Amino acid sequence: MPCSAIFRTCLIGAVLAWAIRAALIGASAAELAFDLHIERGRVAENMSVIRVKQGDVVRLRWSTDRSIILHLHGYDIERKIEPGSIGVMEFTADVTGRFPVEVHRSSEGGGHSHGDAPLVRIEVYP
Ligand SMILES: [Cu+2]
């Protein structure tokens, strides 16, 4: 077989493998939205753990009864949420693991301090 034919066969193989993988990921990944309401610094019990799959596009829509700063660790997204409006965190869950959403104390001095327990845990499964 001439060299170019082998090369072409490999190229087609690589493109096919890529297309199949893209189709598989595309089939299993989902776009998920979660509405989370914070009242007195807490969310409803059944929303304290959010489970998603790797590759999912996750949208967290926060509302709150008082001004609060949230920090999704790992993905490192920080949002200030104000009463009367929805604060959105959106990310593609490309890293597996458990990631806490912590309440930040006021950002005075640019410090990084948390309360006792995370507000919500995001669990990303392979
Ligand atoms: Cu933090």
Side-chain angles (χ1 to χ4, degrees), residues 1 5 13 15 22 27 41 64 73 79-80 84 87 103 117 121:
M1 209 193 297
V15 168
T64 181
H73 283 220
R79 287 283 177 281
K80 185 170 193 193
V103 177
R121 288 187 183 85

Side-chain angles (χ1 to χ4, degrees), residues 69-91:
I69 298 169
L70 301 180
H71 184 204
L72 169 56
H73 283 220
Y75 288 89
D76 199 25
I77 302 172
E78 193 182 80
R79 287 283 177 281
K80 185 170 193 193
I81 320 293
E82 300 283 2
S85 65
I86 304 290
V88 178
M89 290 179 176
E90 187 177 305
F91 59 97

